[in-house]
């Protein structure tokens, strides 16, 4: 018996599956997650996988939370340990009083266990060896056997598993019965040999509502379709590849002419990152809405082309699905570490617009909006995702779209404008917002043309190295960036229930953990107003928030405090007010980490009054 009381919890615990990459466990583990959802219980699922093809450890973590917390909690209540290579690490991750499910076909010395957890051994390999003769079948069906065991151990709905198997193998009906049989094999053995259920268990609920379960890269791909994109040029790079693939998949549904069957889109896998961004800029110059999807190494390679788009004022959208760096870094781990490289991408004086979505629903929204912003500002727009948001499915509100919405193409001179005698100078600030008027190639047979230059030019797009005209152009670009402050999404503020001089700012995929952390901090007596930043350049609301608080914690997932650096570089802020909370080990930030980091600093600021002399 464990020396610590076993954890007892209904619809509120964390399950982690420890497997080997390439073992076929991914589909079974995701089936587990989807079955919990079908029971009406919210989850947050995260796939933790290596950057090789197969053979290295992989984990799949499912946080079950009827309260609806979608961030990584930290710690594991039930470990399904299927990988001997990571045994010690996996055992150590279990919370005191937690549970271990393992393959007991081969004996494990007692010293390899902990005396404060409940151990459930099931002879999975032996069962599969008796049932199946083909080696690959034994490996694959073992995953389904432990899934069946979980239906008995924690009350997972076995009928939901049956339905998911039927859906997954629709069109391959001969595979349905063997998979359902493997599930029953694990369930029946467990019911006959193990006291069921465990202290952590599931009960049907109605807490999911109409929310959908989708990954951020798919949301971005669909957002690009709705945003009017017709050209995607990309080069495969983890973790951005599935974004381009999603766009292609959606285009096959929504961008094929029903009358002719012709594709009304172009998806080009270029020979490298340089070619991909070059294609995007060329297509966008010609009037198409175009984008690329990449990650940190691609951002590094594309720098000169970003400068061309900025200086020649060509709209383009870049989806940066951030990963661990520098160099190759950790390709399959998450970070928010490309902020500075994107904000100031290219050489010389360059500033770019960044958007920071927080979940797949907002990713859909801001991905579509990015194309309007690119046209309106005639500039590259960076949509800053990361691996955690991009590649992991999350619960979010359904995507929303107004069919009456029209695309904002910005200031574009038409043939009628030119014939009517409207002045056209390509790089002239016509109304003080820094944004000039452009024309599409071929707009007019004889007028309205201009030379697109990456070199210095005057208002008429004529080459010049005259210092005064160069300064005039650069100052206009600065005004355009100021204009962007009121065009990009405003930050979202939430005040605590009582006056406080403490605040916290954060962005992107940190949001789910922060939502939970605020609740925990308030329970501990710490009150903070919070502001979720959604774009760079920073809206005036950001400056006002800092001014209203004595201390503002800036929470981000990188080593060098890149958001704080941007704030100090761009705004006249007191550095002493901005306190960094940094997390960058490649795993998603947790509510526990935020609470510990902020709580300890707030506790340290408390001053105990000295007793009066003689007291």
């Amino acid at each position: 018996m464990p020396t610590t009381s076993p954890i007892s919890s209904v619809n509120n615990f964390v399950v982690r599956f420890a497997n080997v990459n390439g073992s076929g466990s991914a589909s079974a583990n995701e089936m587990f997650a989807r079955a919990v959802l079908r029971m009406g219980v919210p989850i947050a699922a995260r796939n933790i996988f290596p950057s090789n093809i197969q053979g290295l450890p992989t984990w799949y973590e499912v946080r079950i939370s009827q309260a609806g917390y979608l961030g990584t909690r930290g710690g594991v209540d039930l470990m399904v340990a299927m990988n001997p290579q990571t045994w010690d690490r996996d055992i150590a991750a279990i919370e005191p009083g937690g549970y271990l499910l393992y393959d007991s076909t081969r004996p494990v010395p007692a010293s390899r266990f902990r005396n404060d957890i409940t151990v459930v051994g099931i002879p999975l390999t032996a069962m599969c060896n008796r049932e199946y003769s083909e080696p690959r079948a034994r490996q694959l069906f073992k995953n389904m056997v432990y899934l069946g065991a979980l239906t008995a151990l924690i009350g997972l709905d076995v009928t939901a598993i049956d339905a998911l198997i039927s859906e997954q193998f629709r069109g391959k009906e001969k595979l349905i019965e063997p998979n359902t049989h493997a599930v029953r094999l694990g369930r029946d053995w467990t019911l006959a040999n193990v006291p069921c259920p465990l202290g952590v268990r599931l009960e049907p609920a109605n807490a999911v509502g109409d929310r959908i379960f989708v990954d951020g890269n798919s949301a971005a791909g669909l957002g690009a379709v709705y945003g009017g994109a017709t050209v995607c040029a990309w080069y495969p790079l983890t973790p951005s590849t599935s974004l381009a693939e999603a766009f292609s998949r959606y285009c096959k549904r929504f961008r094929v002419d029903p009358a002719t069957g012709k594709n009304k889109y172009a998806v080009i896998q270029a020979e490298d990152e340089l070619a991909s961004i070059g294609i995007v800029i060329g297509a966008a110059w010609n009037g198409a809405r175009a984008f690329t999807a990449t990650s940190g190494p691609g951002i590094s390679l594309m720098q000169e082309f970003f400068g061309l788009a900025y200086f020649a004022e060509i709209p383009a959208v870049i989806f940066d699905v951030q990963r661990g760096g520098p160099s190759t870094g950790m390709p399959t781990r998450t970070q928010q570490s490309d902020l500075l490289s994107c904000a100031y991408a290219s050489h010389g004086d360059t500033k770019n617009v960044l958007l920071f979505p927080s979940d797949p629903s907002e990713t859909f929204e801001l991905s579509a909006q990015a194309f309007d912003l690119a046209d309106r500002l005639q500039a590259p727009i960076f949509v800053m995702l990361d691996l955690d948001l991009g590649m992991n499915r999350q619960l979010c509100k359904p995507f929303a779209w107004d069919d009456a919405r029209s695309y904002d193409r910005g200031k574009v001179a038409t043939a009628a404008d030119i014939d009517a005698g409207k002045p056209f100078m390509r790089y002239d600030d016509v109304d003080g917002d820094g944004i000039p008027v452009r024309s599409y190639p071929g707009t007019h047979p004889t007028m309205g043309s201009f030379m697109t230059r990456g070199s210095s030019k005057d208002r008429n797009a004529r080459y010049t190295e005259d210092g005064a005209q160069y300064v005039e152009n650069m100052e206009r670009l600065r005004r355009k960036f100021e204009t962007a402050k009121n065009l990009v999404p405003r930050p979202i503020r939430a005040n605590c229930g009582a006056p406080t001089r403490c605040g916290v700012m954060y962005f992107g995929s940190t949001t789910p953990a922060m939502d939970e952390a605020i609740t925990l901090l308030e329970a501990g007596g710490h009150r903070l107003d919070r502001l979720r930043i959604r774009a760079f350049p920073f809206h005036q609301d950001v400056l006002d928030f800092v001014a209203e608080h004595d201390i503002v914690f800036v929470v981000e997932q990188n080593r060098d405090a890149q958001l704080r650096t941007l704030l100090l570089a761009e705004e006249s802020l007191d550095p002493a007010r901005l306190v960094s909370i940094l997390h960058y080990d490649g795993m998603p930030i947790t509510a526990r980490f935020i609470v510990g980091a902020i709580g300890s600093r707030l506790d340290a600021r408390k001053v105990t009054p000295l007793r009066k002399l003689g007291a």
Side-chain angles (χ1 to χ4, degrees):
M1 293 292 292
T3 57
T4 301
S5 297
I7 296 171
S8 179
S9 182
V10 177
N11 293 352
N12 182 27
F13 54 96
V14 176
V15 181
R16 182 181 294 174
F17 300 85
N19 302 100
V20 175
N21 201 29
S23 64
S25 59
S27 60
N29 295 343
E30 185 167 321
M31 205 172 286
F32 171 86
R34 289 185 176 276
V36 178
L37 282 176
R38 293 196 178 188
M39 294 181 68
V41 183
I43 65 163
R46 285 173 171 83
N47 189 19
I48 306 161
F49 60 100
S51 56
N52 75 332
I53 296 174
Q54 66 177 25
L56 287 182
T58 183
W59 294 268
Y60 189 78
E61 182 173 296
V62 181
R63 181 179 186 183
I64 297 163
S65 172
Q66 186 159 336
Y69 293 128
L70 301 179
T72 302
R73 189 199 70 183
V76 179
D77 300 310
L78 169 58
M79 176 69 71
V80 182
M82 296 292 116
N83 186 359
Q85 291 180 322
T86 61
W87 176 271
D88 292 338
R89 176 178 175 181
D90 294 332
I91 299 300
I94 302 173
E95 297 280 283
Y99 303 85
L100 167 69
L101 169 59
Y102 80 105
D103 183 354
S104 61
T105 300
R106 293 183 177 180
V108 178
S111 61
R112 301 294 301 280
F113 297 105
R114 283 168 45 187
N115 60 8
D116 61 345
I117 62 174
T118 298
V119 177
V120 178
I122 300 177
L124 300 169
T125 299
M127 294 165 68
C128 289
N129 287 347
R130 287 194 302 267
E131 198 74 17
Y132 309 103
S133 58
E134 201 272 317
R136 181 60 175 167
R138 290 173 172 174
Q139 181 184 53
L140 293 176
F141 285 121
K142 183 165 72 171
N143 304 312
M144 303 306 292
V145 174
Y146 72 62
L147 194 57
L150 289 171
T151 67
L153 289 170
I154 65 172
L156 182 67
D157 187 355
V158 70
T159 61
I161 297 293
D162 290 343
L164 287 164
I165 290 172
S166 297
E167 292 168 16
Q168 180 164 325
F169 296 110
R170 186 177 291 120
K172 301 178 181 178
E173 276 69 21
K174 66 178 183 179
L175 297 176
I176 294 176
E177 193 281 329
N179 279 278
T180 56
H181 174 71
V183 170
R184 289 308 189 282
L185 194 67
R187 176 179 174 82
D188 292 346
W189 190 97
T190 304
L191 287 172
N193 294 277
V194 180
C196 297
L198 301 178
V200 290
R201 65 187 188 279
L202 293 164
E203 291 182 359
N206 188 25
V208 174
D210 65 348
R211 286 180 290 179
I212 60 176
F213 191 51
V214 64
D215 62 277
N217 281 353
S218 293
L222 186 60
V225 172
Y226 274 77
T230 56
V231 176
C232 167
W234 64 293
Y235 183 78
L237 187 62
T238 301
S240 65
T241 296
S242 60
L243 197 161
E245 292 173 340
F247 177 75
S248 178
R249 185 170 64 250
Y250 290 125
C251 281
K252 290 174 182 176
R253 291 177 57 187
F254 303 122
R255 291 228 187 283
V256 177
D257 190 314
T260 64
K262 291 184 177 180
N263 294 337
K264 301 173 70 175
Y265 66 95
V267 178
I268 304 165
Q269 182 177 322
E271 61 266 31
D272 54 32
E273 289 87 350
L274 288 173
S276 65
I277 189 62
I279 293 169
V280 167
I281 292 172
W285 170 84
N286 203 45
R289 288 192 155 184
F291 74 91
T292 191
T294 190
S295 190
I299 293 294
S300 298
L301 291 169
M302 296 176 185
Q303 294 283 314
E304 187 172 359
F305 269 119
F306 295 150
L308 172 63
Y310 173 82
F311 201 45
E313 298 180 69
I314 301 170
V317 173
I318 300 95
F319 291 97
D320 179 12
V321 190
Q322 300 165 89
R323 69 189 208 183
S327 188
T328 304
M330 296 189 291
T332 58
R333 298 291 184 262
T334 194
Q335 281 187 4
Q336 297 173 321
S337 53
D338 294 349
L339 271 65
L340 293 176
S341 61
C342 290
Y344 302 122
S346 191
H347 54 277
D349 294 322
T350 310
K351 292 183 182 181
N352 299 303
V353 173
L354 315 181
L355 305 181
F356 305 125
S358 64
D359 66 10
S361 184
E362 192 173 51
T363 297
F364 170 80
E365 173 192 340
L366 296 191
S367 296
Q369 186 179 354
F371 292 93
D372 277 352
L373 285 170
D375 274 348
R376 179 78 177 273
L377 293 167
Q378 300 173 33
I381 306 294
F382 292 78
V383 183
M384 307 298 290
L385 307 176
D386 57 47
L387 184 144
D388 185 37
L389 172 56
M391 293 195 70
N392 289 316
R393 289 189 172 96
Q394 300 180 29
L395 272 182
C396 66
K397 65 181 181 180
F399 302 158
W401 185 261
D402 182 358
D403 288 332
R405 175 175 170 178
S406 59
Y407 298 140
D408 183 354
R409 300 310 299 258
K411 301 176 185 178
V412 180
T414 65
D417 292 334
I418 295 170
D419 282 334
K422 285 189 177 181
F424 177 75
M425 290 186 286
R426 174 64 182 98
Y427 296 111
D428 186 34
D429 188 353
V430 294
D431 51 15
D433 64 0
I435 305 172
V437 178
R438 63 177 174 140
S439 67
Y440 299 136
T443 294
H444 194 282
T446 59
M447 295 183 290
S449 61
F450 62 93
M451 180 66 71
T452 301
R453 298 182 184 278
S455 55
S456 182
K457 59 268 183 182
D458 64 12
R459 296 183 186 182
N460 279 306
R462 295 175 299 203
Y463 171 75
T464 179
E465 293 188 15
D466 179 79
Q469 293 190 64
Y470 171 79
V471 169
E472 177 185 282
N473 193 44
M474 293 296 289
E475 287 302 311
R476 180 183 58 76
L477 289 170
R478 186 201 299 270
R479 288 195 299 277
K480 182 166 73 170
F481 196 69
E482 288 295 313
T483 297
K485 291 182 177 182
N486 292 313
L487 296 178
V488 299
R490 292 180 66 166
I492 294 178
R493 178 169 177 166
N495 291 338
C496 67
T500 179
R501 298 297 294 173
C502 297
V504 60
M505 296 193 299
Y506 55 99
F507 66 100
S509 66
T510 301
T511 303
M514 179 59 68
D515 290 342
E516 181 179 4
I518 287 294
T519 301
L520 296 174
L521 284 165
E522 289 185 350
H526 299 303
R527 298 187 178 275
L528 295 97
D529 296 331
R530 60 190 185 273
L531 189 78
R532 178 163 68 85
I533 295 176
R534 299 204 294 161
F536 171 75
F538 303 116
H539 191 275
Q540 180 63 37
D541 290 354
V542 177
L543 281 66
D544 294 342
F545 184 83
V546 176
E548 293 169 15
H549 297 88
D550 295 334
I551 181 173
V552 176
F553 296 101
V554 184
V555 183
E556 46 189 316
Q557 298 182 63
N558 58 69
R559 184 196 69 181
D560 293 342
Q562 294 188 25
L563 178 61
R564 182 178 183 274
T565 299
L566 274 179
L567 286 162
L568 295 177
E570 295 294 325
E571 311 295 346
S572 298
L573 299 175
D574 178 4
R577 291 192 179 193
L578 302 182
V579 177
S580 290
I581 303 296
L582 305 176
H583 182 278
Y584 53 91
D585 65 1
M587 301 301 291
I589 194 170
T590 67
R592 289 180 177 181
F593 175 86
I594 295 172
V595 170
I598 292 180
S600 62
R601 286 166 170 81
L602 289 177
D603 288 339
R605 289 171 59 87
K606 293 179 181 179
V607 178
T608 302
L610 295 173
R611 289 182 299 173
K612 292 182 180 180
L613 291 175

